[in-house]
PDB file of all heavy atoms in Angstrom:
ATOM      1  N   ALA A   4     -87.690 -58.981  -9.715  1.00 53.00           N
ATOM      2  CA  ALA A   4     -88.114 -59.381 -11.047  1.00 53.00           C
ATOM      3  C   ALA A   4     -89.574 -59.010 -11.214  1.00 53.00           C
ATOM      4  O   ALA A   4     -90.360 -59.159 -10.310  1.00 53.00           O
ATOM      5  CB  ALA A   4     -87.932 -60.882 -11.222  1.00 53.00           C
ATOM      6  N   CYS A   5     -89.885 -58.532 -12.356  1.00 54.00           N
ATOM      7  CA  CYS A   5     -91.273 -58.143 -12.621  1.00 54.00           C
ATOM      8  C   CYS A   5     -92.004 -59.303 -13.277  1.00 54.00           C
ATOM      9  O   CYS A   5     -91.483 -59.951 -14.160  1.00 54.00           O
ATOM     10  CB  CYS A   5     -91.334 -56.945 -13.552  1.00 54.00           C
ATOM     11  SG  CYS A   5     -90.582 -55.484 -12.838  1.00 54.00           S
ATOM     12  N   GLY A   6     -93.218 -59.553 -12.883  1.00 54.00           N
ATOM     13  CA  GLY A   6     -93.987 -60.651 -13.455  1.00 54.00           C
ATOM     14  C   GLY A   6     -95.135 -60.105 -14.273  1.00 54.00           C
ATOM     15  O   GLY A   6     -95.330 -58.919 -14.407  1.00 54.00           O
ATOM     16  N   SER A   7     -95.937 -60.986 -14.764  1.00 53.00           N
ATOM     17  CA  SER A   7     -97.092 -60.522 -15.515  1.00 53.00           C
ATOM     18  C   SER A   7     -98.198 -60.148 -14.548  1.00 53.00           C
ATOM     19  O   SER A   7     -98.054 -60.292 -13.356  1.00 53.00           O
ATOM     20  CB  SER A   7     -97.552 -61.610 -16.479  1.00 53.00           C
ATOM     21  OG  SER A   7     -97.891 -62.766 -15.771  1.00 53.00           O
ATOM     22  N   ASP A   8     -99.351 -59.800 -15.021  1.00 56.00           N
ATOM     23  CA  ASP A   8    -100.391 -59.229 -14.190  1.00 56.00           C
ATOM     24  C   ASP A   8    -100.864 -60.160 -13.093  1.00 56.00           C
ATOM     25  O   ASP A   8    -101.223 -59.795 -12.063  1.00 56.00           O
ATOM     26  CB  ASP A   8    -101.608 -58.859 -15.059  1.00 56.00           C
ATOM     27  CG  ASP A   8    -101.344 -57.596 -15.810  1.00 56.00           C
ATOM     28  OD1 ASP A   8    -100.187 -57.141 -15.809  1.00 56.00           O
ATOM     29  OD2 ASP A   8    -102.274 -57.047 -16.398  1.00 56.00           O
ATOM     30  N   GLY A   9    -100.915 -61.153 -13.045  1.00 55.00           N
ATOM     31  CA  GLY A   9    -101.456 -61.945 -11.960  1.00 55.00           C
ATOM     32  C   GLY A   9    -100.391 -62.686 -11.198  1.00 55.00           C
ATOM     33  O   GLY A   9    -100.684 -63.425 -10.292  1.00 55.00           O
ATOM     34  N   GLU A  10     -99.193 -62.515 -11.520  1.00 53.00           N
ATOM     35  CA  GLU A  10     -98.145 -63.274 -10.846  1.00 53.00           C
ATOM     36  C   GLU A  10     -97.466 -62.427  -9.805  1.00 53.00           C
ATOM     37  O   GLU A  10     -97.381 -61.230  -9.914  1.00 53.00           O
ATOM     38  CB  GLU A  10     -97.110 -63.744 -11.864  1.00 53.00           C
ATOM     39  CG  GLU A  10     -97.695 -64.659 -12.923  1.00 53.00           C
ATOM     40  CD  GLU A  10     -96.669 -65.051 -13.940  1.00 53.00           C
ATOM     41  OE1 GLU A  10     -95.474 -64.846 -13.709  1.00 53.00           O
ATOM     42  OE2 GLU A  10     -97.036 -65.549 -14.981  1.00 53.00           O
ATOM     43  N   GLU A  11     -96.984 -63.121  -8.831  1.00 54.00           N
ATOM     44  CA  GLU A  11     -96.219 -62.433  -7.796  1.00 54.00           C
ATOM     45  C   GLU A  11     -94.804 -62.240  -8.271  1.00 54.00           C
ATOM     46  O   GLU A  11     -94.247 -63.047  -8.988  1.00 54.00           O
ATOM     47  CB  GLU A  11     -96.182 -63.302  -6.529  1.00 54.00           C
ATOM     48  CG  GLU A  11     -97.306 -63.036  -5.610  1.00 54.00           C
ATOM     49  CD  GLU A  11     -97.126 -63.789  -4.319  1.00 54.00           C
ATOM     50  OE1 GLU A  11     -96.023 -63.746  -3.749  1.00 54.00           O
ATOM     51  OE2 GLU A  11     -98.083 -64.407  -3.902  1.00 54.00           O
ATOM     52  N   ALA A  12     -94.229 -61.219  -7.815  1.00 49.00           N
ATOM     53  CA  ALA A  12     -92.837 -60.932  -8.190  1.00 49.00           C
ATOM     54  C   ALA A  12     -91.913 -61.768  -7.349  1.00 49.00           C
ATOM     55  O   ALA A  12     -92.113 -61.910  -6.165  1.00 49.00           O
ATOM     56  CB  ALA A  12     -92.561 -59.449  -7.988  1.00 49.00           C
ATOM     57  N   ASP A  13     -90.925 -62.337  -8.015  1.00 50.00           N
ATOM     58  CA  ASP A  13     -89.890 -63.093  -7.297  1.00 50.00           C
ATOM     59  C   ASP A  13     -88.768 -62.131  -6.910  1.00 50.00           C
ATOM     60  O   ASP A  13     -88.400 -61.246  -7.657  1.00 50.00           O
ATOM     61  CB  ASP A  13     -89.296 -64.177  -8.187  1.00 50.00           C
ATOM     62  CG  ASP A  13     -90.326 -65.252  -8.511  1.00 50.00           C
ATOM     63  OD1 ASP A  13     -91.200 -65.475  -7.669  1.00 50.00           O
ATOM     64  OD2 ASP A  13     -90.211 -65.821  -9.610  1.00 50.00           O
TER      65      ASP A  13
END
Side-chain angles (χ1 to χ4, degrees):
C5 297
S7 59
D8 283 10
E10 299 177 14
E11 270 187 47
D13 293 330

